[in-house]
mmCIF file with all atom_site columns, all heavy atoms in Angstrom:
data_model
loop_
_atom_site.group_PDB
_atom_site.id
_atom_site.type_symbol
_atom_site.label_atom_id
_atom_site.label_alt_id
_atom_site.label_comp_id
_atom_site.label_asym_id
_atom_site.label_entity_id
_atom_site.label_seq_id
_atom_site.pdbx_PDB_ins_code
_atom_site.Cartn_x
_atom_site.Cartn_y
_atom_site.Cartn_z
_atom_site.occupancy
_atom_site.B_iso_or_equiv
_atom_site.pdbx_formal_charge
_atom_site.auth_seq_id
_atom_site.auth_comp_id
_atom_site.auth_asym_id
_atom_site.auth_atom_id
_atom_site.pdbx_PDB_model_num
ATOM 1   N N   . ASN A 1 273 ? 9.879  -12.228 17.034 1.00 84.00 ? 273 ASN A N   1
ATOM 2   C CA  . ASN A 1 273 ? 9.536  -13.538 17.583 1.00 84.00 ? 273 ASN A CA  1
ATOM 3   C C   . ASN A 1 273 ? 10.282 -14.657 16.873 1.00 84.00 ? 273 ASN A C   1
ATOM 4   O O   . ASN A 1 273 ? 9.782  -15.734 16.670 1.00 84.00 ? 273 ASN A O   1
ATOM 5   C CB  . ASN A 1 273 ? 8.028  -13.772 17.574 1.00 84.00 ? 273 ASN A CB  1
ATOM 6   C CG  . ASN A 1 273 ? 7.411  -13.343 16.257 1.00 84.00 ? 273 ASN A CG  1
ATOM 7   O OD1 . ASN A 1 273 ? 8.091  -13.338 15.236 1.00 84.00 ? 273 ASN A OD1 1
ATOM 8   N ND2 . ASN A 1 273 ? 6.152  -12.997 16.272 1.00 84.00 ? 273 ASN A ND2 1
ATOM 9   N N   . VAL A 1 274 ? 11.542 -14.367 16.512 1.00 85.00 ? 274 VAL A N   1
ATOM 10  C CA  . VAL A 1 274 ? 12.375 -15.399 15.908 1.00 85.00 ? 274 VAL A CA  1
ATOM 11  C C   . VAL A 1 274 ? 12.731 -16.421 17.001 1.00 85.00 ? 274 VAL A C   1
ATOM 12  O O   . VAL A 1 274 ? 13.267 -16.052 18.048 1.00 85.00 ? 274 VAL A O   1
ATOM 13  C CB  . VAL A 1 274 ? 13.671 -14.782 15.332 1.00 85.00 ? 274 VAL A CB  1
ATOM 14  C CG1 . VAL A 1 274 ? 14.528 -15.861 14.682 1.00 85.00 ? 274 VAL A CG1 1
ATOM 15  C CG2 . VAL A 1 274 ? 13.336 -13.688 14.326 1.00 85.00 ? 274 VAL A CG2 1
ATOM 16  N N   . PRO A 1 275 ? 12.438 -17.703 16.753 1.00 86.00 ? 275 PRO A N   1
ATOM 17  C CA  . PRO A 1 275 ? 12.699 -18.728 17.769 1.00 86.00 ? 275 PRO A CA  1
ATOM 18  C C   . PRO A 1 275 ? 14.195 -18.834 18.098 1.00 86.00 ? 275 PRO A C   1
ATOM 19  O O   . PRO A 1 275 ? 15.049 -18.566 17.255 1.00 86.00 ? 275 PRO A O   1
ATOM 20  C CB  . PRO A 1 275 ? 12.214 -20.018 17.125 1.00 86.00 ? 275 PRO A CB  1
ATOM 21  C CG  . PRO A 1 275 ? 11.450 -19.647 15.926 1.00 86.00 ? 275 PRO A CG  1
ATOM 22  C CD  . PRO A 1 275 ? 11.849 -18.267 15.540 1.00 86.00 ? 275 PRO A CD  1
ATOM 23  N N   . ALA A 1 276 ? 14.485 -19.242 19.325 1.00 87.00 ? 276 ALA A N   1
ATOM 24  C CA  . ALA A 1 276 ? 15.862 -19.263 19.843 1.00 87.00 ? 276 ALA A CA  1
ATOM 25  C C   . ALA A 1 276 ? 16.798 -20.094 18.956 1.00 87.00 ? 276 ALA A C   1
ATOM 26  O O   . ALA A 1 276 ? 17.937 -19.701 18.687 1.00 87.00 ? 276 ALA A O   1
ATOM 27  C CB  . ALA A 1 276 ? 15.885 -19.785 21.268 1.00 87.00 ? 276 ALA A CB  1
ATOM 28  N N   . GLU A 1 277 ? 16.320 -21.273 18.461 1.00 87.00 ? 277 GLU A N   1
ATOM 29  C CA  . GLU A 1 277 ? 17.232 -22.130 17.699 1.00 87.00 ? 277 GLU A CA  1
ATOM 30  C C   . GLU A 1 277 ? 17.581 -21.495 16.350 1.00 87.00 ? 277 GLU A C   1
ATOM 31  O O   . GLU A 1 277 ? 18.697 -21.668 15.861 1.00 87.00 ? 277 GLU A O   1
ATOM 32  C CB  . GLU A 1 277 ? 16.673 -23.557 17.541 1.00 87.00 ? 277 GLU A CB  1
ATOM 33  C CG  . GLU A 1 277 ? 15.427 -23.706 16.700 1.00 87.00 ? 277 GLU A CG  1
ATOM 34  C CD  . GLU A 1 277 ? 14.142 -23.525 17.507 1.00 87.00 ? 277 GLU A CD  1
ATOM 35  O OE1 . GLU A 1 277 ? 14.199 -22.959 18.628 1.00 87.00 ? 277 GLU A OE1 1
ATOM 36  O OE2 . GLU A 1 277 ? 13.065 -23.925 17.021 1.00 87.00 ? 277 GLU A OE2 1
ATOM 37  N N   . VAL A 1 278 ? 16.641 -20.738 15.776 1.00 87.00 ? 278 VAL A N   1
ATOM 38  C CA  . VAL A 1 278 ? 16.945 -20.031 14.534 1.00 87.00 ? 278 VAL A CA  1
ATOM 39  C C   . VAL A 1 278 ? 17.931 -18.909 14.793 1.00 87.00 ? 278 VAL A C   1
ATOM 40  O O   . VAL A 1 278 ? 18.908 -18.718 14.077 1.00 87.00 ? 278 VAL A O   1
ATOM 41  C CB  . VAL A 1 278 ? 15.653 -19.470 13.879 1.00 87.00 ? 278 VAL A CB  1
ATOM 42  C CG1 . VAL A 1 278 ? 15.982 -18.684 12.612 1.00 87.00 ? 278 VAL A CG1 1
ATOM 43  C CG2 . VAL A 1 278 ? 14.674 -20.586 13.566 1.00 87.00 ? 278 VAL A CG2 1
ATOM 44  N N   . ARG A 1 279 ? 17.693 -18.191 15.904 1.00 89.00 ? 279 ARG A N   1
ATOM 45  C CA  . ARG A 1 279 ? 18.596 -17.084 16.252 1.00 89.00 ? 279 ARG A CA  1
ATOM 46  C C   . ARG A 1 279 ? 20.014 -17.589 16.480 1.00 89.00 ? 279 ARG A C   1
ATOM 47  O O   . ARG A 1 279 ? 20.992 -16.923 16.117 1.00 89.00 ? 279 ARG A O   1
ATOM 48  C CB  . ARG A 1 279 ? 18.083 -16.376 17.524 1.00 89.00 ? 279 ARG A CB  1
ATOM 49  C CG  . ARG A 1 279 ? 17.022 -15.348 17.243 1.00 89.00 ? 279 ARG A CG  1
ATOM 50  C CD  . ARG A 1 279 ? 16.704 -14.577 18.498 1.00 89.00 ? 279 ARG A CD  1
ATOM 51  N NE  . ARG A 1 279 ? 15.732 -15.270 19.331 1.00 89.00 ? 279 ARG A NE  1
ATOM 52  C CZ  . ARG A 1 279 ? 15.901 -15.548 20.607 1.00 89.00 ? 279 ARG A CZ  1
ATOM 53  N NH1 . ARG A 1 279 ? 17.017 -15.205 21.215 1.00 89.00 ? 279 ARG A NH1 1
ATOM 54  N NH2 . ARG A 1 279 ? 14.964 -16.154 21.299 1.00 89.00 ? 279 ARG A NH2 1
ATOM 55  N N   . ALA A 1 280 ? 20.123 -18.796 17.056 1.00 89.00 ? 280 ALA A N   1
ATOM 56  C CA  . ALA A 1 280 ? 21.440 -19.329 17.372 1.00 89.00 ? 280 ALA A CA  1
ATOM 57  C C   . ALA A 1 280 ? 22.231 -19.676 16.127 1.00 89.00 ? 280 ALA A C   1
ATOM 58  O O   . ALA A 1 280 ? 23.467 -19.635 16.133 1.00 89.00 ? 280 ALA A O   1
ATOM 59  C CB  . ALA A 1 280 ? 21.285 -20.551 18.266 1.00 89.00 ? 280 ALA A CB  1
ATOM 60  N N   . ASN A 1 281 ? 21.535 -20.012 15.040 1.00 88.00 ? 281 ASN A N   1
ATOM 61  C CA  . ASN A 1 281 ? 22.238 -20.515 13.866 1.00 88.00 ? 281 ASN A CA  1
ATOM 62  C C   . ASN A 1 281 ? 22.242 -19.592 12.657 1.00 88.00 ? 281 ASN A C   1
ATOM 63  O O   . ASN A 1 281 ? 22.972 -19.837 11.687 1.00 88.00 ? 281 ASN A O   1
ATOM 64  C CB  . ASN A 1 281 ? 21.627 -21.860 13.444 1.00 88.00 ? 281 ASN A CB  1
ATOM 65  C CG  . ASN A 1 281 ? 21.818 -22.904 14.513 1.00 88.00 ? 281 ASN A CG  1
ATOM 66  O OD1 . ASN A 1 281 ? 22.917 -23.094 15.016 1.00 88.00 ? 281 ASN A OD1 1
ATOM 67  N ND2 . ASN A 1 281 ? 20.729 -23.554 14.914 1.00 88.00 ? 281 ASN A ND2 1
ATOM 68  N N   . MET A 1 282 ? 21.419 -18.558 12.668 1.00 90.00 ? 282 MET A N   1
ATOM 69  C CA  . MET A 1 282 ? 21.346 -17.723 11.460 1.00 90.00 ? 282 MET A CA  1
ATOM 70  C C   . MET A 1 282 ? 22.644 -16.939 11.244 1.00 90.00 ? 282 MET A C   1
ATOM 71  O O   . MET A 1 282 ? 23.420 -16.713 12.169 1.00 90.00 ? 282 MET A O   1
ATOM 72  C CB  . MET A 1 282 ? 20.162 -16.768 11.561 1.00 90.00 ? 282 MET A CB  1
ATOM 73  C CG  . MET A 1 282 ? 20.275 -15.762 12.649 1.00 90.00 ? 282 MET A CG  1
ATOM 74  S SD  . MET A 1 282 ? 18.734 -14.817 12.768 1.00 90.00 ? 282 MET A SD  1
ATOM 75  C CE  . MET A 1 282 ? 19.134 -13.746 14.131 1.00 90.00 ? 282 MET A CE  1
ATOM 76  N N   . THR A 1 283 ? 22.848 -16.539 9.976  1.00 90.00 ? 283 THR A N   1
ATOM 77  C CA  . THR A 1 283 ? 24.024 -15.737 9.643  1.00 90.00 ? 283 THR A CA  1
ATOM 78  C C   . THR A 1 283 ? 23.735 -14.273 9.975  1.00 90.00 ? 283 THR A C   1
ATOM 79  O O   . THR A 1 283 ? 22.731 -13.722 9.514  1.00 90.00 ? 283 THR A O   1
ATOM 80  C CB  . THR A 1 283 ? 24.336 -15.848 8.134  1.00 90.00 ? 283 THR A CB  1
ATOM 81  O OG1 . THR A 1 283 ? 24.367 -17.238 7.785  1.00 90.00 ? 283 THR A OG1 1
ATOM 82  C CG2 . THR A 1 283 ? 25.651 -15.199 7.794  1.00 90.00 ? 283 THR A CG2 1
ATOM 83  N N   . LEU A 1 284 ? 24.593 -13.666 10.740 1.00 91.00 ? 284 LEU A N   1
ATOM 84  C CA  . LEU A 1 284 ? 24.386 -12.265 11.107 1.00 91.00 ? 284 LEU A CA  1
ATOM 85  C C   . LEU A 1 284 ? 25.001 -11.342 10.067 1.00 91.00 ? 284 LEU A C   1
ATOM 86  O O   . LEU A 1 284 ? 26.022 -11.684 9.459  1.00 91.00 ? 284 LEU A O   1
ATOM 87  C CB  . LEU A 1 284 ? 25.002 -11.973 12.477 1.00 91.00 ? 284 LEU A CB  1
ATOM 88  C CG  . LEU A 1 284 ? 24.421 -12.719 13.674 1.00 91.00 ? 284 LEU A CG  1
ATOM 89  C CD1 . LEU A 1 284 ? 25.211 -12.385 14.938 1.00 91.00 ? 284 LEU A CD1 1
ATOM 90  C CD2 . LEU A 1 284 ? 22.950 -12.368 13.859 1.00 91.00 ? 284 LEU A CD2 1
ATOM 91  N N   . PRO A 1 285 ? 24.393 -10.163 9.845  1.00 92.00 ? 285 PRO A N   1
ATOM 92  C CA  . PRO A 1 285 ? 25.026 -9.183  8.962  1.00 92.00 ? 285 PRO A CA  1
ATOM 93  C C   . PRO A 1 285 ? 26.295 -8.632  9.619  1.00 92.00 ? 285 PRO A C   1
ATOM 94  O O   . PRO A 1 285 ? 26.546 -8.887  10.790 1.00 92.00 ? 285 PRO A O   1
ATOM 95  C CB  . PRO A 1 285 ? 23.960 -8.100  8.810  1.00 92.00 ? 285 PRO A CB  1
ATOM 96  C CG  . PRO A 1 285 ? 23.068 -8.247  9.984  1.00 92.00 ? 285 PRO A CG  1
ATOM 97  C CD  . PRO A 1 285 ? 23.127 -9.689  10.396 1.00 92.00 ? 285 PRO A CD  1
ATOM 98  N N   . GLY A 1 286 ? 27.069 -7.869  8.857  1.00 92.00 ? 286 GLY A N   1
ATOM 99  C CA  . GLY A 1 286 ? 28.214 -7.203  9.434  1.00 92.00 ? 286 GLY A CA  1
ATOM 100 C C   . GLY A 1 286 ? 27.811 -5.817  9.920  1.00 92.00 ? 286 GLY A C   1
ATOM 101 O O   . GLY A 1 286 ? 26.871 -5.221  9.394  1.00 92.00 ? 286 GLY A O   1
ATOM 102 N N   . TRP A 1 287 ? 28.487 -5.343  10.978 1.00 94.00 ? 287 TRP A N   1
ATOM 103 C CA  . TRP A 1 287 ? 28.156 -4.010  11.489 1.00 94.00 ? 287 TRP A CA  1
ATOM 104 C C   . TRP A 1 287 ? 29.385 -3.108  11.518 1.00 94.00 ? 287 TRP A C   1
ATOM 105 O O   . TRP A 1 287 ? 29.888 -2.753  12.595 1.00 94.00 ? 287 TRP A O   1
ATOM 106 C CB  . TRP A 1 287 ? 27.517 -4.121  12.873 1.00 94.00 ? 287 TRP A CB  1
ATOM 107 C CG  . TRP A 1 287 ? 26.082 -4.560  12.795 1.00 94.00 ? 287 TRP A CG  1
ATOM 108 C CD1 . TRP A 1 287 ? 25.046 -3.848  12.277 1.00 94.00 ? 287 TRP A CD1 1
ATOM 109 C CD2 . TRP A 1 287 ? 25.521 -5.780  13.268 1.00 94.00 ? 287 TRP A CD2 1
ATOM 110 N NE1 . TRP A 1 287 ? 23.875 -4.559  12.374 1.00 94.00 ? 287 TRP A NE1 1
ATOM 111 C CE2 . TRP A 1 287 ? 24.140 -5.750  12.987 1.00 94.00 ? 287 TRP A CE2 1
ATOM 112 C CE3 . TRP A 1 287 ? 26.045 -6.924  13.894 1.00 94.00 ? 287 TRP A CE3 1
ATOM 113 C CZ2 . TRP A 1 287 ? 23.268 -6.809  13.306 1.00 94.00 ? 287 TRP A CZ2 1
ATOM 114 C CZ3 . TRP A 1 287 ? 25.199 -7.969  14.220 1.00 94.00 ? 287 TRP A CZ3 1
ATOM 115 C CH2 . TRP A 1 287 ? 23.824 -7.898  13.916 1.00 94.00 ? 287 TRP A CH2 1
#
Side-chain angles (χ1 to χ4, degrees):
Chain A
N273 44 26
V274 181
E277 67 272 18
V278 177
R279 276 188 276 127
N281 297 310
M282 65 186 179
T283 309
L284 296 177
W287 283 293

